[in-house]
Amino acid sequence: MEELLIDLYGGQFERELLQEIAAVGVFKNVPADTVLMDFGQYVKSMPLLLKGAIKIMREDQDGEELLLYFLEKGDTCAMTLSCCMGFTKSEIKAVTETDTQLIMIPVQHMESWLGKYKSWRGFVMDSYHDRLMEMLDAIDSIAFMNLEDRVMKLLAEKSQITGSKDVRNTHKEIAQELHTSRVVISRILKKLENEKRIALNRSHITLL
């Protein structure tokens, strides 16, 4: 596992930190559509993403969910960091978008590494900044973009994550991520198909 960490983080973390991560971290292969963290859970470990993608969801007072952002290779979740170091319950849900490889780091190491390793402090601060920018982007999308543009933006993000023009999500799944109804999403997707921007297939949506 240390060699894998060196390949991904060797230019970012001190060798001693990489050795500590390898010693205490738990390597996991996780299939797509797996809930890694749910609303209300206490967070006992923090993920370092080695491969794949994770979507971070927020829940409203009625139990409906909204997609905030995606995590990709080299990322971690600032919300998880906050819960880890504050020993509070999770206010987000993390679900694997694709088959994913990650290392889970036990919570007790988070704070000690902040004082011990300059590179870890920088990584944590950068993570907070990146996730904040992504949440602001999500807010801007809801406030200033119409739903049709939000659908195209989501499809483009999913295409970029998988490296494929084919997005293998149902209309219902897209509706849940955008916090709207399946009927509305189906109508928008049909309109986008008529405009030759996408092609609707039985098991996937193709970006044109």
Side-chain angles (χ1 to χ4, degrees):
M1 184 166 67
E2 187 175 340
E3 291 182 1
L4 186 60
L5 285 167
I6 291 172
D7 287 341
L8 189 56
Y9 294 102
Q12 185 174 8
F13 293 155
E14 296 94 340
R15 184 60 180 262
E16 293 80 5
L17 175 56
L18 293 173
Q19 291 171 345
E20 285 205 48
I21 294 173
V24 304
V26 178
F27 178 83
K28 290 188 175 184
N29 276 306
V30 185
D33 300 319
T34 300
V35 177
L36 297 173
M37 182 193 313
D38 211 343
F39 307 111
Q41 288 183 342
Y42 282 102
V43 181
K44 298 180 180 179
S45 56
M46 186 204 79
L48 283 180
L49 194 53
L50 305 177
K51 181 181 178 182
I54 299 171
K55 60 185 177 183
I56 304 299
M57 314 288 290
R58 185 81 165 95
E59 187 179 48
D60 69 12
Q61 60 185 5
D62 298 320
E64 299 293 332
E65 297 174 2
L66 173 68
L67 175 67
L68 292 180
Y69 52 77
F70 291 99
L71 300 176
E72 298 184 72
K73 182 175 69 173
D75 287 338
T76 191
C77 181
M79 296 290 288
T80 305
L81 286 166
S82 296
C83 293
C84 280
M85 291 187 284
F87 301 101
T88 58
K89 292 182 180 180
S90 172
E91 296 187 6
I92 56 99
K93 181 178 182 180
V95 182
T96 52
E97 177 73 10
T98 64
D99 292 344
T100 298
Q101 291 181 349
L102 48 81
I103 295 175
M104 302 301 293
I105 301 174
V107 60
Q108 59 265 30
H109 298 281
M110 299 296 98
E111 192 168 351
S112 63
W113 288 353
L114 286 173
K116 190 175 181 181
Y117 296 109
K118 181 178 179 181
S119 65
W120 182 256
R121 289 197 303 274
F123 175 69
V124 169
M125 295 305 295
D126 288 344
S127 296
Y128 276 119
H129 176 268
D130 292 344
R131 302 296 85 78
L132 174 61
M133 292 299 101
E134 287 171 334
M135 283 193 284
L136 289 176
D137 182 59
I139 292 169
D140 286 346
S141 295
I142 295 169
F144 304 121
M145 294 176 68
N146 61 44
L147 190 53
E148 182 178 313
D149 290 337
R150 289 175 62 204
V151 169
M152 284 302 302
K153 181 174 182 289
L154 178 61
L155 295 177
E157 288 176 341
K158 288 175 176 287
S159 174
Q160 181 179 3
I161 286 169
T162 61
S164 171
K165 294 287 186 180
D166 295 332
V167 177
R168 300 186 179 278
N169 286 98
T170 66
H171 296 193
K172 181 180 180 180
E173 288 169 338
I174 294 171
Q176 289 174 334
E177 292 175 356
L178 293 178
H179 202 277
T180 187
S181 71
R182 183 194 61 78
V183 173
V184 170
I185 291 299
S186 295
R187 185 168 62 245
I188 288 175
L189 290 174
K190 188 62 179 177
K191 180 176 183 290
L192 293 172
E193 183 178 47
N194 291 337
E195 294 172 354
K196 309 299 183 185
R197 299 169 71 183
I198 64 170
L200 297 178
N201 305 283
R202 182 175 295 274
S203 61
H204 62 275
I205 301 164
T206 303
L207 276 74
L208 302 180

